[in-house]
Amino acid sequence: MNDRRRALHRWAASMCFIMGFGIQSAVALELDETTEVLLIEAVEAAYALDLYHARCRSDGSNRRTENLNKLLASRMRLTVLRVQDDVFPERNYRKVQERLQREFVATLNANGGCAGVKDSELPAELRARYDEKIKAIEALP
């Protein structure tokens, strides 16, 4: 009977982790300031690159945000939404996403819309910024 309880407990724990209700979600994030800044910049970079692809290339897959989400989940047991809720100044993922979208649209409009951006260095800059942040997260201990 004791082995059955342990097996059931392990199964329940794994299901909670899969569903995002792990014990860590109840505990406040304890990250140093440098890591918090890196996480914020990484989420912003992924979101901006995804917005560019969605608006200017008709690719709404959110691939970069999903890749960042997988990396954060495997390395730090975090999600992008949790970073937006707990680390960003707004402390609300919806407000964060609205602000990031407004900022991207302003950047897009300042560069002549999608047509102007396609011929500029902005797509390469967005990609380089995203790649730099991903590598920095991968290098964390």
Side-chain angles (χ1 to χ4, degrees):
M1 185 70 163
N2 203 6
D3 290 335
R4 285 181 107 186
R5 274 193 182 156
R6 271 190 235 142
L8 182 60
H9 179 68
R10 279 194 303 263
W11 176 83
S14 65
M15 291 307 294
C16 286
F17 175 74
I18 289 168
M19 295 175 66
F21 299 117
I23 294 171
Q24 199 174 32
S25 66
V27 178
L29 286 177
E30 294 192 24
L31 302 169
D32 61 28
E33 188 175 332
T34 306
T35 304
E36 286 184 354
V37 169
L38 175 60
L39 292 175
I40 289 171
E41 291 173 350
V43 170
E44 289 175 342
Y47 204 75
L49 191 55
D50 281 340
L51 284 172
Y52 166 73
H53 282 276
R55 289 186 149 248
C56 298
R57 303 197 63 191
S58 300
D59 175 14
S61 68
N62 291 328
R63 183 176 314 138
R64 291 92 196 155
T65 302
E66 288 302 316
N67 289 342
L68 176 60
N69 205 37
K70 289 175 189 174
L71 178 64
L72 291 177
S74 67
R75 303 253 326 162
M76 305 176 82
R77 301 213 184 236
L78 290 172
T79 63
V80 169
L81 289 178
R82 180 137 184 245
V83 170
Q84 291 174 339
D85 275 341
D86 295 347
V87 181
F88 274 77
E90 291 92 342
R91 302 279 188 215
N92 182 300
Y93 76 93
R94 287 187 177 125
K95 290 179 182 177
V96 170
Q97 290 174 0
E98 289 171 5
R99 176 180 58 83
L100 294 176
Q101 188 165 7
R102 277 193 313 271
E103 289 174 358
F104 179 76
V105 169
T107 301
L108 193 64
N109 289 338
N111 287 298
C114 286
V117 169
K118 285 180 184 178
D119 296 331
S120 74
E121 294 297 317
L122 185 63
E125 290 171 9
L126 292 173
R127 181 61 191 207
R129 182 175 158 217
Y130 169 76
D131 289 340
E132 174 189 334
K133 301 306 173 190
I134 291 293
K135 286 179 184 171
I137 290 173
E138 289 173 341
L140 288 173

